[in-house]
Amino acid sequence: MSTIILRLLHNANISIEEISKKSQIPLDALVNATEEPIEFWTIRELNAFAESLKIKPGELLEELQPSTYILDIDDDAQTIQGVNISNLENYYAIRAVVEAEHLEGWNPVAADITYLNNQFVNPDSEFIKDVESALNEYDVNTEE
């Protein structure tokens, strides 16, 4: 933990002493916080570090917490992120989209998979028209 927060403070040219003075949190409390897991920080400590870095506390939490995201695909159960897709053809189509976009940095959750499945079952005609209109504007052939 200390490595990440200390690197962030160093990159922003901010010392723990400055944060202590500005936030009125004892220096030793802030030093101890940098050596502890984020789960042990007080709200005041988190806010003091975030404010000094000029970011929201939630953004700082994202920086400090390790990523635990897992793309869960189960071909036997036909599930993606725990959402069952009963139609086999739709399952493989959605899986291909999810895997391709995941490689580009998208981390879908169950609600995203449910939305995609619903769009396969009951496509939003207005949305399709908007997409086709946008593609036609750039001379992309949408006809099969």
Side-chain angles (χ1 to χ4, degrees):
M1 177 58 60
S2 65
T3 306
I4 299 170
I5 189 65
L6 294 177
R7 178 180 44 83
L8 291 170
L9 295 173
H10 176 75
N11 290 346
N13 199 28
I14 300 167
S15 72
I16 296 177
E17 291 84 5
E18 292 172 283
I19 298 170
S20 174
K21 288 177 186 172
K22 187 175 180 181
S23 67
Q24 298 181 356
I25 297 174
L27 177 61
D28 62 333
L30 292 175
V31 170
N32 289 339
T34 65
E35 297 170 356
E36 295 177 339
I38 188 79
E39 294 85 11
F40 295 111
W41 287 17
T42 67
I43 299 293
R44 282 188 67 215
E45 292 165 346
L46 176 66
N47 287 339
F49 285 121
E51 185 177 314
S52 67
L53 292 166
K54 296 181 174 52
I55 60 175
K56 295 178 180 177
E59 292 171 358
L60 180 57
L61 279 173
E62 286 182 24
E63 289 279 335
L64 297 176
Q65 294 186 49
S67 175
T68 58
Y69 180 83
I70 295 173
L71 179 59
D72 181 20
I73 296 176
D74 184 341
D75 287 337
D76 293 332
Q78 283 181 220
T79 62
I80 303 172
Q81 300 305 80
V83 176
N84 179 269
I85 302 167
S86 58
N87 181 293
L88 187 61
E89 187 176 317
N90 289 358
Y91 169 76
Y92 281 112
I94 292 170
R95 177 184 166 177
V97 168
V98 167
E99 287 178 329
E101 293 302 315
H102 186 260
L103 290 174
E104 295 295 324
W106 183 45
N107 292 334
V109 295
D112 297 319
I113 305 306
T114 299
Y115 174 80
L116 288 174
N117 190 39
N118 288 341
Q119 287 303 307
F120 265 85
V121 175
N122 287 322
D124 180 346
S125 60
E126 287 300 313
F127 178 73
I128 292 171
K129 286 178 189 174
D130 291 344
V131 169
E132 287 177 348
S133 175
L135 291 173
N136 287 334
E137 186 175 318
Y138 293 99
D139 295 324
V140 175
N141 185 2
T142 59
E143 296 177 17
E144 293 183 22

